[in-house]
Amino acid sequence: MLALRLVRGSHPLVQLRRLAVAAASAAAGFLLLCTLGHAAGHPEDAAASTLRLLWCVLPIAATVQFAVATARTDPAARPPTGLSSVGLGPARRTALAAASTAAACLLGSALALLLYLHLRGDVTGLPLDGAAGGLLAADRPLPLAAALTLLAVVPVTATVAAGLALRPRPGTPAPEGAARPVPAGLPWGVALVAVGLAVETYAGRGGGDGVTLPGRLDGSPAGVLAGWVLTAIGLALAGPGLTHLCGRALQSFRPGAVRLLAGRVLTDEATRIGRPLGVVCAVLSGSLAATRLYASGDGAAAFGPLTGLGAGVVLACTLATLLTAALESRQCRAHTVEALARLGAPPTVLRTTALLRTAALLAVFLPLTWLVGELAALPLTS
């Protein structure tokens, strides 16, 4: 009941983020139900249905990442400190944030089920002149138990991930102003990116059997797709290290107050901002490679409606996760900003610092995204 009261009385922007999580959960759940429809309509082709189910992992992972990022900024995780006197400690706050995440994801799963039943014609007759009937196996009975099991994947996974991310950890926090450890994933990330690009190039030249995606994209060798996955993981691992290096570069060569403040923020927030930034870099580079494939004519007819839906879910969730992580970073710096304001720092200094941080990150990650996307597109278009 307390979780529902906190949800109902939250700020409109908080409600908007929860609705965005519900929408992402609905889209991921709809993809899972479409995979179930393919399995019901093609019982003789179990391998293709299994591959479609495996490819739904990417939208699910992006949705869960966005749900966890939203839970970290949820007011349910940071209620007024006076409630600690009535037993609402860190463990209860974690449970409240997880309950809010579960409520949003369950709402999305319910919407996905209603939309799926509507498109199948199980509610008010077959809509869209029956255009979606064949895709959703409208002539076959829906296995309700399997549908409910698939719809429970996103809420359960997101709730568990949010609980683990927000669980109280033992130990005392570092004093304000103390150095944070340098992110250690940059060498591994660079190595994985290099290995992934090498695997893509080798597989693209050697050819191979196509892998069926959740749409009509079925001409890419399995090695190319495996190489892209390795590249994406490498970029996600390298993101915090690259962000930390951006902060160190801003603080080098006799920095002034603005550069020193901007660089210190980047080094302190390297892990929080860098990881989702690396994921966005991986998704945008993959989108660039897909655009090159589409423009070359090799894949002009290969992108089906479900492929577009899955790509849209991944892109929207990763961008929303980055924005939410930036909001969390701003909330964590609230005390520092207040202290600078009390010391008489003009607002223009804070705005200039934010612009300088953004420019430094764009100067590093935009060329990296373009380079990885171009290299990943070469095996697909050659």
Side-chain angles (χ1 to χ4, degrees):
M1 289 300 297
L2 180 57
L4 292 178
R5 289 177 180 271
L6 289 173
V7 167
R8 187 180 60 183
S10 299
H11 192 273
L13 291 179
V14 178
Q15 302 285 23
L16 183 61
R17 290 199 299 269
R18 289 168 178 159
L19 289 177
V21 172
S25 177
F30 184 78
L31 287 174
L32 289 172
L33 291 178
C34 291
T35 301
L36 178 62
H38 181 274
H42 305 81
E44 73 284 352
D45 198 0
S49 300
T50 303
L51 285 175
R52 288 171 176 262
L53 184 62
L54 290 177
W55 274 106
C56 289
V57 171
L58 291 178
I60 292 173
T63 302
V64 170
Q65 183 193 25
F66 177 41
V68 171
T70 302
R72 295 177 67 95
T73 59
D74 199 302
R78 299 184 181 90
T81 55
L83 294 180
S84 300
S85 60
V86 295
L88 194 62
R92 294 287 300 276
R93 294 198 295 269
T94 300
L96 287 175
S100 300
T101 303
C105 293
L106 285 174
L107 175 61
S109 296
L111 293 176
L113 181 59
L114 289 177
L115 178 61
Y116 184 78
L117 294 177
H118 174 66
L119 293 178
R120 276 175 49 93
D122 295 335
V123 180
T124 59
L126 199 61
L128 304 177
D129 296 328
L135 184 63
L136 305 180
D139 56 339
R140 300 294 180 91
L142 177 66
L144 186 59
L148 294 179
T149 301
L150 289 177
L151 287 176
V153 170
V154 175
V156 171
T157 306
T159 303
V160 173
L164 292 176
L166 297 176
R167 72 187 187 277
R169 292 174 174 83
T172 58
E176 186 175 358
R180 292 182 183 184
V182 178
L186 182 58
W188 291 102
V190 173
L192 280 178
V193 170
V195 171
L197 292 175
V199 169
E200 287 184 60
T201 304
Y202 179 79
R205 291 179 178 177
D209 297 330
V211 176
T212 302
L213 300 182
R216 295 193 300 270
L217 184 61
D218 54 4
S220 299
V224 173
L225 301 174
W228 182 83
V229 171
L230 289 176
T231 303
I233 295 175
L235 288 174
L237 287 177
L242 291 176
T243 305
H244 190 273
L245 288 180
C246 289
R248 293 293 297 270
L250 287 176
Q251 299 177 75
S252 303
F253 306 108
R254 297 181 180 179
V258 174
R259 280 205 295 135
L260 187 62
L261 182 60
R264 185 57 184 270
V265 169
L266 284 182
T267 54
D268 286 350
E269 303 292 332
T271 302
R272 183 180 287 111
I273 297 295
R275 186 168 290 114
L277 193 57
V279 174
V280 169
C281 180
V283 172
L284 291 180
S285 63
S287 302
L288 179 61
T291 303
R292 290 286 185 269
L293 174 64
Y294 186 88
S296 66
D298 298 332
F303 295 91
L306 298 183
T307 306
L309 177 60
V313 170
V314 173
L315 182 60
C317 287
T318 50
L319 290 176
T321 301
L322 178 60
L323 293 177
T324 306
L327 177 62
E328 181 189 4
S329 176
R330 182 180 179 183
Q331 291 176 350
C332 294
R333 297 195 312 270
H335 297 293
T336 304
V337 173
E338 292 176 359
L340 290 174
R342 288 195 301 267
L343 292 174
T348 55
V349 171
L350 300 178
R351 288 195 293 266
T352 305
T353 300
L355 291 176
L356 187 59
R357 293 197 306 267
T358 304
L361 292 177
L362 290 178
V364 172
F365 282 93
L366 277 184
L368 178 63
T369 301
W370 177 83
L371 178 62
V372 173
E374 291 291 335
L375 291 177
L378 287 178
L380 299 176
T381 56
S382 61

